Amino acid sequence: MSASEYNMTEPDSIVVGGGIVGASIAFGLARSGERVVLLDEGDVAFRASRGNFALVWVQSKGLALPPYAAWTQQSAREWHDLARILSDETGVDVAHSQPGGFTLCLSQKEVDARLDKLTRFHNRPDAPHFPYEILDHDEVKKRLPDIGDEVVGAVYSPLDGHANPLLLMRALHSYLGVKGGEYRPGHAVDAIAVEGDGFRLKGAWGELRAAKLILAAGLGNARLAPMVGLEAPVKPSRGQLIVTEKTSPFLCNPLVTIRQTNEGGVLIGDSKEEAGFENITGTGVLSIMAERAFRMFPKLRHLNVVRTWSALRVMSADGFPIYDQTHSGPPAFVTSCHSGITLAGVHAMTLAPTLSRSARLPEILAPFTPKRFHVPAH
Ligand SMILES: Cc1cc2nc3c(=O)[nH]c(=O)nc-3n(C[C@H](O)[C@H](O)[C@H](O)COP(=O)(O)OP(=O)(O)OC[C@H]3O[C@@H](n4cnc5c(N)ncnc54)[C@H](O)[C@@H]3O)c2cc1C
């Protein structure tokens, strides 16, 4: 579509970045009655939203930062409404389920390390407690009969789940259309200027103005945020994944590194590598991931691999999300996180409605300002 084929000349808000984070926020703004335009560079960009493992995961999140644990738990709860609304309004079932998730351990040392972290977290007076169980081999075997002999134990939490990220993207983009908003792919933003009580955004496609701006451009936020006096110090962290041929259902619970998708393939994930912007795969890392997965589920050895790929996480220095806002002039916000699937519930159902209502971030997000990285040099 060319710029002239779009209708809105001055929307209420512009969201930059049409990945999961931007699309979730655009969903919530449109649902709150705003006229929203979602500008996206397109498939040429690095897009974590297309290449991720798609867990809606609680059990390991925020164990060192209780507000992050609380935000994540809230998101897991709000995911149910998000999935239902998307299905009702767009007809797209995003394959969300919350059957509970396992972290399998291949040594007693791994079990002890996890137990230690969970115990420390639950001993903190400010920690939002969540249900979990530490299971031994026999108990895991009862619940996951196909595990191998080398599995020593597991952590299980009933709050963990998963979804289909590609269907989620499609549903969020469709929802925007249903609500009269506009998703504009092929619209890379090159420059942003404050202009009176709003912002003017420019790119090769032309210009667009709005009173409110949300930057959700993944790794692109690092360049865009300073244009409005904000910062988003994020870097890529590469993750490689393997998907097998489809097989009959044997694993209805997601595991932190293995899950069977709604279509039958088994996803094996996902490495964490500092490799700059190189999103390539390599047999070295893939074979380590596969070997560990075989030890957990020996039957995986008999499946063919149909595809491997890598994608770049949007990572801050401490691994926690970044949320920030302008304190003078027109309202602009920046959102960057490495668990955008998990946080889709809260971005769509809590963050965006709050931005619409008050043009301020929710109070719970105060610890996530990038000012935390301003450590004085010694
Ligand atoms: C291997 C891997 C596994 C993962 N597993 C999970 C998981 O299990 N659970 C989970 O919750 N999360 C997971 N994640 C993280 C999750 O995928 C990301 O948090 C999420 O996709 C980030 O979404 P985003 O919209 O911020 O970024 P992206 O998906 O990277 O999208 C950013 C968008 O911004 C656009 N853009 C950039 N610059 C501009 C510009 N100048 N103008 C216009 N548009 C621009 C791009 O076109 C792009 O579409 C995983 C990520 C990886 C890589």
Side-chain angles (χ1 to χ4, degrees):
M1 258 193 199
S2 70
S4 60
E5 287 168 85
Y6 296 107
N7 293 321
M8 253 187 268
T9 50
E10 186 160 341
D12 299 321
S13 49
I14 297 174
V15 180
V16 182
I20 294 292
V21 173
S24 304
I25 295 172
F27 165 102
L29 294 173
R31 187 159 176 262
S32 303
E34 291 204 13
R35 295 159 58 255
V36 185
V37 168
L38 178 60
L39 298 175
D40 188 61
E41 185 175 356
D43 266 343
V44 289
F46 291 107
R47 251 189 174 172
S49 300
R50 287 214 181 285
N52 61 76
F53 198 66
L55 297 174
V56 178
W57 202 248
V58 172
Q59 64 169 268
S60 55
K61 300 288 174 65
L63 298 184
L65 186 64
Y68 185 40
W71 191 232
T72 301
Q73 289 173 30
Q74 186 177 335
S75 196
R77 287 192 294 273
E78 294 193 321
W79 243 102
H80 297 282
D81 282 342
L82 173 62
R84 181 184 46 75
I85 295 165
L86 288 173
S87 172
D88 290 350
E89 301 268 352
T90 70
V92 180
D93 175 354
V94 300
H96 170 246
S97 70
Q98 192 187 48
F102 293 83
T103 302
L104 296 191
C105 300
L106 293 172
S107 69
Q108 191 56 44
K109 201 169 151 201
E110 287 179 27
V111 177
D112 293 343
R114 299 215 165 260
L115 180 58
D116 182 54
K117 277 191 185 169
L118 285 159
T119 309
R120 280 170 192 268
F121 173 78
H122 284 268
N123 282 344
R124 286 177 70 145
D126 57 342
H129 292 179
F130 63 88
Y132 73 92
E133 293 172 78
I134 301 284
L135 310 174
D136 64 13
H137 174 89
D138 292 346
E139 187 55 37
V140 183
K141 184 97 185 158
K142 272 190 216 149
R143 303 186 196 190
L144 303 173
D146 292 301
I147 58 162
D149 294 340
E150 289 191 65
V151 173
V152 172
V155 182
Y156 168 80
S157 172
L159 298 187
D160 297 319
H162 54 161
N164 180 315
L166 300 181
L167 292 174
L168 175 61
M169 286 264 279
R170 194 202 306 161
L172 290 168
H173 291 158
S174 306
Y175 181 89
L176 196 57
V178 169
K179 291 288 168 189
E182 289 174 6
Y183 168 53
R184 301 185 186 179
H187 280 60
V189 174
D190 296 326
I192 308 173
V194 177
E195 190 188 78
D197 56 359
F199 300 92
R200 182 167 296 279
L201 281 70
K202 295 184 185 172
W205 42 271
E207 300 184 9
L208 192 65
R209 212 193 107 88
K212 193 189 297 171
L213 174 67
I214 293 94
L215 299 177
L219 292 165
N221 272 348
R223 187 177 68 86
L224 295 174
M227 294 180 191
V228 293
L230 296 173
E231 52 179 325
V234 284
K235 291 197 171 142
S237 158
R238 184 170 70 201
Q240 301 189 40
L241 287 102
I242 300 169
V243 66
T244 71
E245 64 185 316
K246 292 176 183 151
T247 187
S248 48
F250 74 98
L251 187 60
C252 74
N253 302 83
L255 274 58
V256 73
T257 53
I258 305 174
R259 70 181 192 92
Q260 188 166 25
T261 71
N262 58 314
E263 286 150 354
V266 180
L267 269 183
I268 300 172
D270 48 344
S271 59
K272 291 187 179 59
E273 304 160 66
E274 301 307 315
F277 282 86
E278 262 195 279
N279 58 344
I280 53 171
T281 57
T283 47
V285 170
L286 292 171
S287 59
I288 293 169
M289 286 160 41
E291 185 54 34
R292 211 175 141 81
F294 296 160
R295 291 167 67 198
M296 292 177 175
F297 289 96
K299 68 190 289 176
L300 292 177
R301 281 185 197 278
H302 307 294
L303 294 177
N304 289 309
V305 168
V306 292
R307 199 159 79 87
T308 62
W309 71 90
S310 75
L312 302 180
R313 292 185 191 81
V314 180
M315 197 58 90
S316 67
D318 59 8
F320 295 116
I322 292 173
Y323 297 95
D324 207 6
Q325 59 197 340
T326 50
H327 293 283
S328 59
F333 304 88
V334 66
T335 305
S336 297
C337 69
H338 75 73
S339 287
I341 308 298
T342 303
L343 295 179
V346 85
H347 286 161
M349 307 299 294
T350 292
L351 173 60
T354 309
L355 298 185
S356 180
R357 216 172 29 248
S358 66
R360 305 301 302 157
L361 289 171
E363 204 43 47
I364 187 177
L365 297 184
F368 300 99
T369 150
K371 288 189 188 63
R372 68 187 189 269
F373 301 117
H374 297 179
V375 184
H378 294 292

